[in-house]
Every structure is written in structure tokens, then in C-alpha cells.
Amino acid sequence: MKDLIINGSEQLDVLISEAQANQLKEYARLLVDWNKKINLTAITDDDGIVTKHFLDSLTAVQTGYVRGRVIDVGTGAGFPGLVLKIAKPEINLTLLDSLNKRVNFLREVCDSIGIDRVEFVHARAEDGGKNRLYRGQFDTVVSRAVANLTVLSEWCIPFLKQGGYFLALKGPLAEDEIKDAKRAIKILGGRIEDIFEAQIPFTNLNHKIIIIKKVGQTPLKYPRKAGIATKIPIGSCYNMTK
């Protein structure tokens, strides 16, 4: 596993030391162990964990925007946020998730592999985005496979400082989501900067990272209360008539 991590990261031009590879290896062991007790991932084989979780997460480093104070919204088992912290220990990371069991798992991983300067937040994105401790406080927001881009933008953009970047790790159909999300992103104070092509080493997977810059203020009413963003997305016909 360690060789696969190091070789894969080299293909991504992300420098991972042997010590960092050992941290990721222990992370994988804990992931499989905890997965027997709580549902963290459907991927439990070594190669799958390395390629579909670790290397996929590391593609965000290639964008050049993983820096400063970073929050992973809806982090789940820590992807991509905790992997990014291992690769870039200088960042200040916040991991936010709505399920306390997952937060406890992440605490144990960080304790076990010696990761510090990580804040753990047990909260829904809608509540975290309203909290003055987190709203408008981050240089970078990352999120992977949590919701469609319209909904995800409402959950994530409020966390950004003006001039900060939201990195949405998406699959090959990202352009379709962008078409639907453009109006919402503008309303929320964002602007699409780029779509980064992310080829995952040792696989045929070609993912995309949508890069959104915070260029204006997010209206105070966003994010709305839990459940509204998915039921009435910003820019929907219903929403535009109200």
C-alpha cells in the first residue's frame, strides 16, 4: 500500500514522504476497522482506498488553492480534507460533519497518526454557515460528492472569505451541474474560475474539480434552514417566482 501511495502521489506531482505514507496507511487501517462498526465507506480494499480515496483527494492539491485556513464541508470519513492535511501539514483544517460518530472516527485518526491543528465540528452545513465562528472565515472550502453543485454552493460558499476559493470535487458530468448552478453561484457571491481535469493514477477515472472564487458578499439569508436547499434550489422556477 505504501508504495502505491508514494508512486501515485508522484504521478500527481504531489510530494508525499515515507512518514506521510505511513500516516495514510494507518488511516486506511483505522478506516477499515471502524467501518465494521459504522458505515464510513463501501471501498475497503487497499488499492481502492489508495486510488479512490487518497489519490482522488490529493488531486485538489494540484489546483494550487489548498492553503491557509481550510474547511471540508460534509467530510464523512475525512475525504478530501484529512488527506489534504496529511499532504500539507501547514494548513489549518476544520472538518465539519453532521454525524457525531464520523467526527469521533476522525478524532481517533488524528490522535493515532499525530495530526494537530485540526478542528472538529459536529454540525449541519446549514448551521455551520450561519455561525459567526465559521461564516466568512476560510481561505478554501473543499467538498466531495455531497450534493449537486447548486445545493453544495449554498452550503459551502458562505464559509469563504472574500477572495477565497471553493473546490468542488466532482465526477465526469460536472459541466451539466455547472449549467444548472450558475445563477445560484452568482447570487451567493461566487464566480466560476475554472474546471480542473483530475486523472486518478492507476485508474481510468477522470474526475473534475470545479473552482469557484468568492467575489462578493453572500446574502445573510443563505444558507437557508436544513432541507430547503434540496427542496427548493436557488434558481429553481419555484424559487424565482417567490
Side-chain angles (χ1 to χ4, degrees):
M1 175 182 272
K2 188 163 69 173
D3 288 343
L4 191 65
I5 292 168
I6 292 172
N7 293 336
S9 64
E10 285 177 355
Q11 288 192 34
L12 295 172
D13 291 322
V14 178
L15 182 62
I16 294 290
S17 68
E18 188 168 342
Q20 289 167 316
N22 282 329
Q23 287 178 314
L24 288 167
K25 186 177 177 182
E26 176 64 6
Y27 183 0
R29 186 192 70 78
L30 289 166
L31 176 68
V32 173
D33 187 45
W34 272 68
N35 202 57
K36 297 170 186 173
K37 299 177 283 185
I38 63 171
N39 182 29
L40 292 169
T41 178
I43 301 165
T44 55
D45 63 290
D46 286 357
D47 288 359
I49 291 171
V50 172
T51 56
K52 295 177 183 178
H53 285 325
F54 293 165
L55 298 181
D56 185 30
S57 295
L58 286 175
T59 59
V61 177
Q62 294 180 298
T63 67
Y65 294 114
V66 179
R67 59 200 182 199
R69 193 175 179 195
V70 179
I71 185 169
D72 183 358
V73 176
T75 186
F79 309 122
L82 189 49
V83 178
L84 299 177
K85 173 66 176 178
I86 293 169
K88 292 178 68 70
E90 70 274 14
I91 66 174
N92 291 292
L93 178 66
T94 297
L95 296 171
L96 181 145
D97 199 83
S98 61
L99 186 63
N100 201 41
K101 289 180 180 179
R102 289 194 288 254
V103 173
N104 289 336
F105 162 71
L106 296 168
R107 288 182 193 276
E108 178 165 322
V109 173
C110 289
D111 287 344
S112 296
I113 66 178
I115 296 292
D116 57 11
R117 296 212 321 274
V118 177
E119 182 179 9
F120 306 91
V121 180
H122 172 220
R124 297 182 67 99
E126 298 95 332
D127 297 325
K130 290 284 192 182
N131 189 323
R132 62 182 180 82
L133 295 175
Y134 307 112
R135 185 182 180 91
Q137 299 299 311
F138 294 90
D139 301 289
T140 307
V141 176
V142 294
S143 195
R144 188 181 80 147
V146 173
N148 70 64
L149 188 60
T150 302
V151 173
L152 199 56
S153 295
E154 180 171 348
W155 290 346
C156 291
I157 291 175
F159 288 100
L160 282 174
K161 297 177 181 177
Q162 197 154 341
Y165 290 88
F166 167 35
L167 309 180
L169 282 70
K170 288 288 183 179
L173 302 178
E175 283 91 347
D176 292 337
E177 291 194 36
I178 287 172
K179 291 175 186 176
D180 294 334
K182 277 185 176 179
R183 185 172 185 273
I185 291 167
K186 184 176 180 181
I187 289 169
L188 292 161
R191 181 180 70 208
I192 296 171
E193 288 284 282
D194 198 6
I195 305 172
F196 184 85
E197 300 281 344
Q199 178 64 46
I200 314 303
F202 313 120
T203 75
N204 294 321
L205 299 173
N206 184 17
H207 289 177
K208 297 184 180 182
I209 302 175
I210 303 168
I211 302 170
I212 297 170
K213 185 176 182 179
K214 180 81 170 281
V215 294
Q217 293 297 319
T218 301
L220 289 176
K221 71 175 183 176
Y222 299 114
R224 293 165 292 170
K225 291 181 180 179
I228 296 178
T230 51
K231 291 177 182 175
I232 312 171
I234 298 173
S236 68
C237 293
Y238 177 86
N239 204 25
M240 285 190 284
T241 61
K242 297 294 178 183

